[in-house]
Amino acid sequence: MGLFDVNEDGHIDLGEFGEMIKYIGGWKTTFERYNTDGTGFITAAQLYNTLQACSCGVTKARSLVLISNFDSRHIRALAFDDYIRCCVTVQSLHTAFTKHQTNGSTSTLNLEEMLNMVIESRPRPVQNLSFD
């Protein structure tokens, strides 16, 4: 939810809440588009297709690793909430990585740059959630 605390006051006001609902709605539409078997869960193959459509350059093998890491139910597939966490993480890291690209899909990062990229791509936690 920290992503939506635009004014960084530690609270989600009604306008920020509305933006969050729109954001989640967009992810729901994408989830339903790629959940082609209608199970309500995204498989590794479906995740791969999702990430290919986003031009994230994730391999099939990496899709399996992502499923393994984000599957909170241990069913080898992602429920909607797991799917959002996975895609937001990949999208944030992809955006951060492209800022460091030198040519094509490669980048040279030192440890400090890599750590900053990972830390800065994570959503900020909201300390005291309330609806103002």
Side-chain angles (χ1 to χ4, degrees), residues 36-92:
T36 54
D37 56 8
T39 62
F41 297 95
I42 295 289
T43 64
Q46 293 166 334
L47 181 63
Y48 172 77
N49 291 335
T50 300
L51 296 174
Q52 288 302 302
C54 298
S55 301
C56 286
V58 173
T59 63
K60 289 181 179 181
R62 183 64 54 207
S63 295
L64 289 168
V65 172
L66 289 168
I67 292 285
S68 175
N69 281 279
F70 286 94
D71 173 17
S72 66
R73 289 160 182 82
H74 309 290
I75 57 171
R76 297 184 181 153
L78 302 179
F80 181 59
D81 58 332
D82 296 332
Y83 174 78
I84 291 175
R85 286 186 316 107
C86 177
C87 289
V88 168
T89 299
V90 171
Q91 184 181 44
S92 297

Short mmCIF file of all heavy atoms in Angstrom, two decimals, residues 36-92:
data_model
loop_
_atom_site.label_atom_id
_atom_site.label_comp_id
_atom_site.label_asym_id
_atom_site.label_seq_id
_atom_site.Cartn_x
_atom_site.Cartn_y
_atom_site.Cartn_z
N THR A 36 -5.85 -18.57 -18.69
CA THR A 36 -6.62 -19.10 -19.82
C THR A 36 -7.42 -20.35 -19.49
O THR A 36 -8.41 -20.64 -20.16
CB THR A 36 -5.69 -19.39 -21.00
OG1 THR A 36 -4.62 -20.24 -20.56
CG2 THR A 36 -5.11 -18.10 -21.57
N ASP A 37 -7.01 -21.09 -18.46
CA ASP A 37 -7.76 -22.30 -18.11
C ASP A 37 -8.86 -22.02 -17.09
O ASP A 37 -9.62 -22.92 -16.73
CB ASP A 37 -6.82 -23.40 -17.60
CG ASP A 37 -5.97 -22.96 -16.42
OD1 ASP A 37 -6.19 -21.85 -15.89
OD2 ASP A 37 -5.07 -23.72 -16.03
N GLY A 38 -8.96 -20.77 -16.62
CA GLY A 38 -10.03 -20.37 -15.72
C GLY A 38 -9.97 -20.95 -14.32
O GLY A 38 -10.96 -20.94 -13.59
N THR A 39 -8.79 -21.41 -13.89
CA THR A 39 -8.67 -22.02 -12.57
C THR A 39 -8.60 -21.01 -11.44
O THR A 39 -8.82 -21.36 -10.28
CB THR A 39 -7.39 -22.89 -12.48
OG1 THR A 39 -6.25 -22.03 -12.68
CG2 THR A 39 -7.41 -24.02 -13.49
N GLY A 40 -8.29 -19.77 -11.78
CA GLY A 40 -8.09 -18.77 -10.73
C GLY A 40 -6.66 -18.75 -10.21
O GLY A 40 -6.35 -18.08 -9.23
N PHE A 41 -5.78 -19.49 -10.89
CA PHE A 41 -4.37 -19.54 -10.53
C PHE A 41 -3.54 -19.43 -11.81
O PHE A 41 -3.92 -19.93 -12.86
CB PHE A 41 -4.01 -20.84 -9.81
CG PHE A 41 -4.73 -21.00 -8.51
CD1 PHE A 41 -5.91 -21.71 -8.43
CD2 PHE A 41 -4.23 -20.41 -7.35
CE1 PHE A 41 -6.59 -21.84 -7.24
CE2 PHE A 41 -4.90 -20.53 -6.15
CZ PHE A 41 -6.09 -21.25 -6.09
N ILE A 42 -2.38 -18.77 -11.70
CA ILE A 42 -1.48 -18.59 -12.83
C ILE A 42 -0.35 -19.62 -12.73
O ILE A 42 0.36 -19.68 -11.73
CB ILE A 42 -0.89 -17.16 -12.85
CG1 ILE A 42 -1.99 -16.12 -13.08
CG2 ILE A 42 0.23 -17.02 -13.85
CD1 ILE A 42 -2.58 -16.10 -14.48
N THR A 43 -0.22 -20.42 -13.78
CA THR A 43 0.85 -21.42 -13.84
C THR A 43 2.14 -20.77 -14.34
O THR A 43 2.13 -19.62 -14.79
CB THR A 43 0.47 -22.56 -14.81
OG1 THR A 43 0.37 -22.00 -16.13
CG2 THR A 43 -0.84 -23.22 -14.41
N ALA A 44 3.23 -21.51 -14.32
CA ALA A 44 4.50 -21.00 -14.82
C ALA A 44 4.40 -20.63 -16.29
O ALA A 44 4.93 -19.60 -16.71
CB ALA A 44 5.61 -22.02 -14.59
N ALA A 45 3.72 -21.44 -17.09
CA ALA A 45 3.57 -21.14 -18.52
C ALA A 45 2.76 -19.86 -18.71
O ALA A 45 3.09 -19.03 -19.56
CB ALA A 45 2.90 -22.31 -19.23
N GLN A 46 1.71 -19.68 -17.92
CA GLN A 46 0.89 -18.47 -18.03
C GLN A 46 1.66 -17.24 -17.55
O GLN A 46 1.55 -16.17 -18.13
CB GLN A 46 -0.41 -18.65 -17.23
CG GLN A 46 -1.32 -19.69 -17.83
CD GLN A 46 -2.43 -20.13 -16.88
OE1 GLN A 46 -2.30 -20.05 -15.66
NE2 GLN A 46 -3.53 -20.61 -17.46
N LEU A 47 2.46 -17.41 -16.50
CA LEU A 47 3.29 -16.31 -16.01
C LEU A 47 4.32 -15.92 -17.06
O LEU A 47 4.54 -14.73 -17.32
CB LEU A 47 3.98 -16.69 -14.70
CG LEU A 47 4.87 -15.61 -14.09
CD1 LEU A 47 4.06 -14.37 -13.71
CD2 LEU A 47 5.60 -16.15 -12.86
N TYR A 48 4.91 -16.91 -17.69
CA TYR A 48 5.87 -16.66 -18.76
C TYR A 48 5.21 -15.82 -19.86
O TYR A 48 5.78 -14.82 -20.32
CB TYR A 48 6.40 -17.98 -19.32
CG TYR A 48 7.24 -17.81 -20.56
CD1 TYR A 48 8.56 -17.36 -20.45
CD2 TYR A 48 6.73 -18.09 -21.82
CE1 TYR A 48 9.34 -17.19 -21.59
CE2 TYR A 48 7.51 -17.93 -22.96
CZ TYR A 48 8.81 -17.48 -22.83
OH TYR A 48 9.58 -17.30 -23.95
N ASN A 49 4.01 -16.19 -20.28
CA ASN A 49 3.29 -15.45 -21.32
C ASN A 49 3.00 -14.01 -20.87
O ASN A 49 3.13 -13.07 -21.66
CB ASN A 49 1.99 -16.16 -21.70
CG ASN A 49 2.26 -17.46 -22.42
OD1 ASN A 49 3.30 -17.64 -23.04
ND2 ASN A 49 1.32 -18.38 -22.34
N THR A 50 2.61 -13.85 -19.62
CA THR A 50 2.35 -12.51 -19.07
C THR A 50 3.60 -11.65 -19.16
O THR A 50 3.55 -10.51 -19.64
CB THR A 50 1.92 -12.60 -17.58
OG1 THR A 50 0.74 -13.37 -17.47
CG2 THR A 50 1.69 -11.23 -16.99
N LEU A 51 4.71 -12.18 -18.69
CA LEU A 51 5.95 -11.40 -18.63
C LEU A 51 6.54 -11.16 -20.02
O LEU A 51 7.18 -10.14 -20.24
CB LEU A 51 6.94 -12.08 -17.69
CG LEU A 51 6.47 -12.15 -16.24
CD1 LEU A 51 7.43 -12.97 -15.39
CD2 LEU A 51 6.26 -10.77 -15.65
N GLN A 52 6.31 -12.07 -20.95
CA GLN A 52 6.73 -11.84 -22.34
C GLN A 52 5.95 -10.68 -22.94
O GLN A 52 6.51 -9.85 -23.66
CB GLN A 52 6.56 -13.11 -23.19
CG GLN A 52 7.56 -14.19 -22.87
CD GLN A 52 8.99 -13.72 -23.06
OE1 GLN A 52 9.38 -13.29 -24.13
NE2 GLN A 52 9.78 -13.79 -22.00
N ALA A 53 4.67 -10.61 -22.63
CA ALA A 53 3.83 -9.52 -23.14
C ALA A 53 4.27 -8.17 -22.58
O ALA A 53 4.11 -7.14 -23.23
CB ALA A 53 2.37 -9.78 -22.81
N CYS A 54 4.86 -8.20 -21.39
CA CYS A 54 5.36 -6.96 -20.76
C CYS A 54 6.77 -6.62 -21.20
O CYS A 54 7.35 -5.65 -20.72
CB CYS A 54 5.34 -7.11 -19.24
SG CYS A 54 3.73 -7.36 -18.54
N SER A 55 7.37 -7.45 -22.07
CA SER A 55 8.74 -7.27 -22.55
C SER A 55 9.76 -7.27 -21.42
O SER A 55 10.74 -6.54 -21.45
CB SER A 55 8.86 -5.97 -23.36
OG SER A 55 8.00 -6.00 -24.46
N CYS A 56 9.52 -8.13 -20.42
CA CYS A 56 10.46 -8.21 -19.30
C CYS A 56 11.62 -9.16 -19.58
O CYS A 56 12.58 -9.20 -18.83
CB CYS A 56 9.73 -8.65 -18.02
SG CYS A 56 8.72 -7.34 -17.34
N GLY A 57 11.54 -9.95 -20.65
CA GLY A 57 12.65 -10.81 -21.03
C GLY A 57 12.92 -11.94 -20.06
O GLY A 57 14.04 -12.40 -19.93
N VAL A 58 11.89 -12.41 -19.37
CA VAL A 58 12.05 -13.50 -18.41
C VAL A 58 11.97 -14.83 -19.16
O VAL A 58 11.10 -15.02 -20.01
CB VAL A 58 10.95 -13.42 -17.31
CG1 VAL A 58 10.98 -14.62 -16.40
CG2 VAL A 58 11.12 -12.14 -16.51
N THR A 59 12.88 -15.74 -18.84
CA THR A 59 12.90 -17.05 -19.50
C THR A 59 11.87 -17.98 -18.87
O THR A 59 11.34 -17.70 -17.78
CB THR A 59 14.28 -17.70 -19.36
OG1 THR A 59 14.52 -17.93 -17.96
CG2 THR A 59 15.39 -16.82 -19.95
N LYS A 60 11.63 -19.11 -19.54
CA LYS A 60 10.71 -20.11 -18.98
C LYS A 60 11.26 -20.66 -17.67
O LYS A 60 10.51 -20.86 -16.71
CB LYS A 60 10.49 -21.24 -19.98
CG LYS A 60 9.64 -20.81 -21.16
CD LYS A 60 9.40 -21.95 -22.14
CE LYS A 60 8.53 -21.45 -23.28
NZ LYS A 60 8.25 -22.52 -24.24
N ALA A 61 12.57 -20.86 -17.61
CA ALA A 61 13.19 -21.36 -16.38
C ALA A 61 13.01 -20.35 -15.24
O ALA A 61 12.72 -20.72 -14.10
CB ALA A 61 14.67 -21.65 -16.61
N ARG A 62 13.17 -19.07 -15.54
CA ARG A 62 13.00 -18.03 -14.52
C ARG A 62 11.55 -17.95 -14.06
O ARG A 62 11.26 -17.69 -12.90
CB ARG A 62 13.48 -16.68 -15.05
CG ARG A 62 13.42 -15.56 -14.04
CD ARG A 62 14.33 -15.74 -12.83
NE ARG A 62 15.68 -15.97 -13.28
CZ ARG A 62 16.57 -16.66 -12.58
NH1 ARG A 62 16.29 -17.13 -11.40
NH2 ARG A 62 17.79 -16.85 -13.06
N SER A 63 10.61 -18.22 -14.97
CA SER A 63 9.20 -18.24 -14.59
C SER A 63 8.94 -19.31 -13.54
O SER A 63 8.17 -19.10 -12.59
CB SER A 63 8.31 -18.48 -15.81
OG SER A 63 8.41 -17.41 -16.71
N LEU A 64 9.59 -20.46 -13.69
CA LEU A 64 9.46 -21.53 -12.69
C LEU A 64 10.02 -21.08 -11.34
O LEU A 64 9.43 -21.37 -10.29
CB LEU A 64 10.18 -22.80 -13.16
CG LEU A 64 9.54 -23.54 -14.31
CD1 LEU A 64 10.49 -24.60 -14.86
CD2 LEU A 64 8.23 -24.18 -13.86
N VAL A 65 11.15 -20.38 -11.37
CA VAL A 65 11.75 -19.88 -10.13
C VAL A 65 10.83 -18.85 -9.48
O VAL A 65 10.64 -18.86 -8.26
CB VAL A 65 13.15 -19.28 -10.40
CG1 VAL A 65 13.70 -18.58 -9.17
CG2 VAL A 65 14.11 -20.36 -10.88
N LEU A 66 10.24 -17.98 -10.29
CA LEU A 66 9.32 -16.98 -9.74
C LEU A 66 8.11 -17.65 -9.10
O LEU A 66 7.69 -17.26 -8.00
CB LEU A 66 8.87 -16.01 -10.84
CG LEU A 66 9.94 -15.03 -11.32
CD1 LEU A 66 9.50 -14.34 -12.60
CD2 LEU A 66 10.27 -14.02 -10.23
N ILE A 67 7.55 -18.66 -9.76
CA ILE A 67 6.43 -19.40 -9.17
C ILE A 67 6.85 -19.98 -7.83
O ILE A 67 6.14 -19.85 -6.83
CB ILE A 67 5.94 -20.52 -10.12
CG1 ILE A 67 5.30 -19.95 -11.38
CG2 ILE A 67 4.99 -21.48 -9.39
CD1 ILE A 67 3.91 -19.38 -11.22
N SER A 68 8.00 -20.60 -7.79
CA SER A 68 8.50 -21.21 -6.56
C SER A 68 8.66 -20.19 -5.43
O SER A 68 8.35 -20.48 -4.29
CB SER A 68 9.84 -21.89 -6.85
OG SER A 68 10.41 -22.37 -5.67
N ASN A 69 9.10 -18.99 -5.78
CA ASN A 69 9.35 -17.97 -4.76
C ASN A 69 8.12 -17.21 -4.33
O ASN A 69 8.07 -16.73 -3.20
CB ASN A 69 10.41 -16.99 -5.25
CG ASN A 69 11.79 -17.55 -5.12
OD1 ASN A 69 12.36 -17.51 -4.05
ND2 ASN A 69 12.31 -18.10 -6.19
N PHE A 70 7.12 -17.07 -5.17
CA PHE A 70 5.95 -16.26 -4.84
C PHE A 70 4.70 -17.08 -4.54
O PHE A 70 3.67 -16.52 -4.15
CB PHE A 70 5.67 -15.26 -5.97
CG PHE A 70 6.64 -14.13 -6.00
CD1 PHE A 70 7.77 -14.18 -6.81
CD2 PHE A 70 6.46 -13.00 -5.20
CE1 PHE A 70 8.69 -13.15 -6.83
CE2 PHE A 70 7.38 -11.96 -5.22
CZ PHE A 70 8.50 -12.04 -6.03
N ASP A 71 4.76 -18.38 -4.68
CA ASP A 71 3.61 -19.26 -4.43
C ASP A 71 3.42 -19.47 -2.93
O ASP A 71 3.97 -20.40 -2.34
CB ASP A 71 3.85 -20.60 -5.14
CG ASP A 71 2.81 -21.65 -4.82
OD1 ASP A 71 1.72 -21.30 -4.33
OD2 ASP A 71 3.09 -22.83 -5.08
N SER A 72 2.61 -18.63 -2.31
CA SER A 72 2.43 -18.71 -0.85
C SER A 72 1.57 -19.91 -0.43
O SER A 72 1.57 -20.29 0.74
CB SER A 72 1.80 -17.42 -0.33
OG SER A 72 0.48 -17.26 -0.83
N ARG A 73 0.86 -20.50 -1.36
CA ARG A 73 -0.02 -21.63 -1.04
C ARG A 73 0.63 -22.99 -1.33
O ARG A 73 0.05 -24.04 -1.07
CB ARG A 73 -1.33 -21.50 -1.83
CG ARG A 73 -2.18 -20.36 -1.31
CD ARG A 73 -3.20 -19.91 -2.34
NE ARG A 73 -3.99 -18.79 -1.87
CZ ARG A 73 -3.60 -17.51 -1.91
NH1 ARG A 73 -2.41 -17.19 -2.38
NH2 ARG A 73 -4.38 -16.55 -1.48
N HIS A 74 1.82 -22.97 -1.91
CA HIS A 74 2.58 -24.18 -2.23
C HIS A 74 1.80 -25.12 -3.15
O HIS A 74 1.72 -26.32 -2.92
CB HIS A 74 3.02 -24.90 -0.95
CG HIS A 74 3.71 -23.99 0.01
ND1 HIS A 74 4.96 -23.46 -0.22
CD2 HIS A 74 3.29 -23.46 1.18
CE1 HIS A 74 5.30 -22.67 0.77
NE2 HIS A 74 4.30 -22.64 1.64
N ILE A 75 1.24 -24.53 -4.23
CA ILE A 75 0.46 -25.31 -5.19
C ILE A 75 1.05 -25.25 -6.59
O ILE A 75 0.42 -25.66 -7.55
CB ILE A 75 -1.01 -24.82 -5.21
CG1 ILE A 75 -1.07 -23.33 -5.56
CG2 ILE A 75 -1.70 -25.11 -3.90
CD1 ILE A 75 -2.48 -22.81 -5.82
N ARG A 76 2.25 -24.70 -6.70
CA ARG A 76 2.96 -24.56 -7.98
C ARG A 76 2.21 -23.67 -8.97
O ARG A 76 2.24 -23.90 -10.18
CB ARG A 76 3.27 -25.91 -8.59
CG ARG A 76 4.20 -26.72 -7.72
CD ARG A 76 4.59 -28.00 -8.37
NE ARG A 76 5.45 -28.74 -7.47
CZ ARG A 76 5.55 -30.04 -7.48
NH1 ARG A 76 4.87 -30.76 -8.34
NH2 ARG A 76 6.35 -30.64 -6.63
N ALA A 77 1.52 -22.68 -8.43
CA ALA A 77 0.80 -21.70 -9.23
C ALA A 77 0.58 -20.48 -8.34
O ALA A 77 0.73 -20.55 -7.12
CB ALA A 77 -0.53 -22.27 -9.71
N LEU A 78 0.23 -19.35 -8.96
CA LEU A 78 0.05 -18.11 -8.21
C LEU A 78 -1.42 -17.73 -8.14
O LEU A 78 -2.09 -17.63 -9.17
CB LEU A 78 0.82 -16.97 -8.87
CG LEU A 78 2.33 -17.15 -9.02
CD1 LEU A 78 2.93 -15.93 -9.71
CD2 LEU A 78 2.98 -17.43 -7.69
N ALA A 79 -1.90 -17.52 -6.92
CA ALA A 79 -3.21 -16.91 -6.73
C ALA A 79 -3.07 -15.43 -7.07
O ALA A 79 -1.96 -14.91 -7.27
CB ALA A 79 -3.67 -17.10 -5.29
N PHE A 80 -4.18 -14.73 -7.12
CA PHE A 80 -4.18 -13.33 -7.56
C PHE A 80 -3.22 -12.47 -6.73
O PHE A 80 -2.43 -11.70 -7.29
CB PHE A 80 -5.60 -12.78 -7.50
CG PHE A 80 -5.71 -11.34 -7.95
CD1 PHE A 80 -5.31 -10.96 -9.22
CD2 PHE A 80 -6.22 -10.38 -7.09
CE1 PHE A 80 -5.40 -9.64 -9.64
CE2 PHE A 80 -6.32 -9.06 -7.50
CZ PHE A 80 -5.91 -8.69 -8.77
N ASP A 81 -3.25 -12.58 -5.40
CA ASP A 81 -2.38 -11.74 -4.57
C ASP A 81 -0.91 -12.08 -4.79
O ASP A 81 -0.06 -11.18 -4.86
CB ASP A 81 -2.76 -11.84 -3.08
CG ASP A 81 -2.71 -13.25 -2.52
OD1 ASP A 81 -2.92 -14.22 -3.28
OD2 ASP A 81 -2.50 -13.39 -1.30
N ASP A 82 -0.59 -13.36 -4.95
CA ASP A 82 0.79 -13.76 -5.24
C ASP A 82 1.23 -13.22 -6.61
O ASP A 82 2.36 -12.78 -6.79
CB ASP A 82 0.93 -15.29 -5.26
CG ASP A 82 0.66 -15.94 -3.92
OD1 ASP A 82 0.88 -15.30 -2.88
OD2 ASP A 82 0.22 -17.11 -3.92
N TYR A 83 0.30 -13.28 -7.55
CA TYR A 83 0.56 -12.80 -8.91
C TYR A 83 0.91 -11.31 -8.91
O TYR A 83 1.88 -10.89 -9.55
CB TYR A 83 -0.67 -13.08 -9.78
CG TYR A 83 -0.63 -12.52 -11.16
CD1 TYR A 83 0.10 -13.14 -12.17
CD2 TYR A 83 -1.35 -11.37 -11.49
CE1 TYR A 83 0.12 -12.64 -13.46
CE2 TYR A 83 -1.34 -10.87 -12.78
CZ TYR A 83 -0.60 -11.49 -13.75
OH TYR A 83 -0.58 -10.99 -15.03
N ILE A 84 0.15 -10.53 -8.17
CA ILE A 84 0.43 -9.09 -8.09
C ILE A 84 1.81 -8.86 -7.47
O ILE A 84 2.61 -8.10 -8.00
CB ILE A 84 -0.65 -8.34 -7.28
CG1 ILE A 84 -1.96 -8.31 -8.03
CG2 ILE A 84 -0.19 -6.91 -6.97
CD1 ILE A 84 -3.10 -7.68 -7.25
N ARG A 85 2.11 -9.54 -6.36
CA ARG A 85 3.42 -9.37 -5.72
C ARG A 85 4.54 -9.73 -6.68
O ARG A 85 5.54 -9.01 -6.80
CB ARG A 85 3.53 -10.21 -4.46
CG ARG A 85 2.77 -9.70 -3.28
CD ARG A 85 3.00 -10.47 -1.97
NE ARG A 85 3.00 -11.92 -2.10
CZ ARG A 85 4.09 -12.69 -2.01
NH1 ARG A 85 5.27 -12.17 -1.79
NH2 ARG A 85 4.00 -14.00 -2.13
N CYS A 86 4.39 -10.82 -7.40
CA CYS A 86 5.41 -11.28 -8.34
C CYS A 86 5.59 -10.27 -9.47
O CYS A 86 6.72 -9.83 -9.75
CB CYS A 86 5.00 -12.64 -8.90
SG CYS A 86 6.14 -13.28 -10.14
N CYS A 87 4.50 -9.88 -10.11
CA CYS A 87 4.60 -8.98 -11.27
C CYS A 87 5.09 -7.60 -10.88
O CYS A 87 5.90 -7.00 -11.61
CB CYS A 87 3.25 -8.89 -11.98
SG CYS A 87 2.81 -10.40 -12.86
N VAL A 88 4.66 -7.09 -9.75
CA VAL A 88 5.13 -5.77 -9.30
C VAL A 88 6.63 -5.83 -9.01
O VAL A 88 7.37 -4.92 -9.36
CB VAL A 88 4.32 -5.26 -8.08
CG1 VAL A 88 4.98 -4.07 -7.44
CG2 VAL A 88 2.89 -4.93 -8.51
N THR A 89 7.07 -6.91 -8.39
CA THR A 89 8.50 -7.06 -8.11
C THR A 89 9.31 -7.12 -9.40
O THR A 89 10.30 -6.39 -9.56
CB THR A 89 8.75 -8.33 -7.27
OG1 THR A 89 8.06 -8.21 -6.03
CG2 THR A 89 10.24 -8.54 -7.01
N VAL A 90 8.88 -7.96 -10.35
CA VAL A 90 9.60 -8.09 -11.62
C VAL A 90 9.57 -6.76 -12.37
O VAL A 90 10.60 -6.30 -12.88
CB VAL A 90 9.01 -9.23 -12.48
CG1 VAL A 90 9.60 -9.21 -13.89
CG2 VAL A 90 9.26 -10.57 -11.82
N GLN A 91 8.42 -6.13 -12.41
CA GLN A 91 8.28 -4.85 -13.11
C GLN A 91 9.17 -3.78 -12.49
O GLN A 91 9.85 -3.03 -13.20
CB GLN A 91 6.82 -4.41 -13.09
CG GLN A 91 6.54 -3.15 -13.87
CD GLN A 91 5.08 -2.76 -13.79
OE1 GLN A 91 4.47 -2.80 -12.73
NE2 GLN A 91 4.52 -2.39 -14.92
N SER A 92 9.20 -3.70 -11.17
CA SER A 92 10.03 -2.70 -10.48
C SER A 92 11.51 -2.94 -10.74
O SER A 92 12.26 -2.00 -11.02
CB SER A 92 9.77 -2.73 -8.97
OG SER A 92 8.45 -2.39 -8.70
#
